């Protein structure tokens, strides 16, 4: 398989998850076809504009489709700031059909990108180490960023072979791979699992990060940063990934431009978030959503195509 070195703009749905009125817990998302973003609180580490590292609780935007507790609410804001702050946890429902998975997965020793849009964009299955993926959304005519992923390595896998991939732990399997391969269609596909470069082991000085802020105080709340890279990032790109081949030097300049833009908007470079804890007794045998009819059909208004990996 050939490998492509370059920058990918990866647009995913941008709306914020909204809990049911009066509820302080969101269940594992599965009722409709659209992934959404959550504004999350977690332990982690971050680098400031001087390169100094800090640690503690931080806030960041990301994808987390399992359960979460709503620990803070804010009024509506016109600038794209979040309304809800989530504390993530997970518990696989007793009825585990038609669950969304989480991709990219920014928790653990390194960021992981495993499947989303790989069936629609060949370049995403053939990324060379050093390639950069900008995960974000088109909102208000601008591209807003939630995750920067720098590829360190990649390994192909499929339903029959995923257990052969080294370093895949139980939480990742249950949160990401099990929901993906619940679809018979995806059991016949092959994907590539990418590991992200880290500050400890960067790729030519580049590493994966999520724009973040320390969780203490009123400044913990922030809108996703707007990123402008003329020729590389299309502001209104919403329904397909875009890949641009780039040489190493151009990739480094693009990554550093993104870093500078994130920092100029008052944000830091977050990483090192631990995998959210499992709470196996949370449901205590109750189903959190109406199951599909007999025969394995999804709930009304859903389809396996909509609900698989992305």
């Amino acid at each position: 398989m050939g490998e492509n070195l370059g920058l990918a703009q990866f647009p995913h749905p941008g709306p914020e998850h909204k809990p049911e009125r009066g509820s302080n817990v969101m269940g594992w998302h599965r009722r409709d076809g659209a992934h959404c973003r959550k504004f999350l609180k977690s332990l982690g580490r971050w680098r400031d504009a001087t390169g100094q590292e800090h640690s503690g609780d931080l806030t960041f935007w990301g994808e987390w489709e399992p359960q979460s507790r709503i620990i803070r609410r804010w009024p509506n804001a016109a600038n794209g700031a979040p309304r809800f702050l989530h504390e993530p946890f997970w518990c696989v429902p007793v009825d585990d059909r038609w669950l969304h998975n989480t991709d990219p997965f920014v928790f653990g020793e390194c960021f992981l990108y495993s499947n989303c849009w790989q069936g629609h964009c060949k370049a995403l299955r053939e990324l060379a180490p050093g390639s950069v993926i900008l995960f974000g959304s088109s909102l208000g005519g601008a591209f807003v960023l939630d995750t920067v992923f720098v590829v360190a390595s990649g390994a192909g896998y499929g339903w029959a072979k995923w257990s052969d991939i080294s370093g895949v732990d139980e939480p990742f399997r249950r949160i990401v791979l099990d929901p993906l391969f619940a679809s018979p269609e995806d059991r016949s596909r092959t994907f590539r699992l990418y590991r992200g470069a880290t500050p400890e082991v960067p790729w030519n000085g580049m590493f994966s990060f999520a724009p973040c802020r320390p969780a203490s105080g009123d400044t913990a709340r922030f809108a996703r940063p707007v990123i402008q890279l003329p020729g590389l990032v299309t502001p209104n790109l919403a329904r397909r990934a875009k890949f641009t081949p780039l040489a190493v030097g151009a990739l480094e300049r693009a990554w550093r431009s993104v870093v500078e833009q994130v920092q100029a908007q008052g944000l830091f470079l977050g990483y090192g978030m631990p995998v959210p804890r499992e709470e196996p007794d949370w449901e205590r045998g109750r189903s959190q959503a109406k199951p599909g009819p007999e025969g394995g059909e999804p709930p009304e208004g859903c389809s396996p195509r909509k609900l698989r990996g992305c």
Side-chain angles (χ1 to χ4, degrees), residues 90-194:
W90 65 281
C91 171
V92 177
V94 173
D95 173 16
D96 61 357
R97 291 177 293 174
W98 319 118
L99 303 178
H100 275 301
N101 74 357
T102 295
D103 196 30
F105 192 83
V106 302
F107 303 93
E109 293 182 0
C110 67
F111 290 12
L112 297 169
Y113 163 49
S114 59
N115 64 87
C116 195
W117 276 105
Q118 290 186 17
H120 303 279
C121 180
K122 182 180 179 182
L124 294 177
R125 300 193 304 272
E126 300 180 353
L127 294 174
S131 294
V132 176
I133 311 173
L134 303 181
F135 289 93
S137 307
S138 178
L139 292 178
F143 181 72
V144 295
L145 179 74
D146 57 70
T147 306
V148 174
F149 192 103
V150 178
V151 175
S153 64
Y157 74 99
W159 179 49
K161 293 291 186 180
W162 71 261
S163 60
D164 295 339
I165 303 174
S166 62
V168 172
D169 58 17
E170 182 74 2
F172 183 80
R173 179 183 68 81
R174 298 180 71 189
I175 294 168
V176 179
L177 298 181
D178 285 352
L180 173 67
F181 290 127
S183 163
E185 182 179 3
D186 282 323
R187 291 184 182 183
S188 66
R189 298 177 183 269
T190 58
F191 303 94
R192 201 169 195 194
L193 176 64
Y194 295 100

Side-chain angles (χ1 to χ4, degrees), residues 12 20 33 62 67 71 74 78 103 117 148 153 158 160 169 214 216 260:
H12 44 202
E20 294 182 3
Q67 299 90 342
I71 58 176
W74 293 283
D103 196 30
W117 276 105
V148 174
S153 64
D169 58 17
S216 60
E260 291 168 359

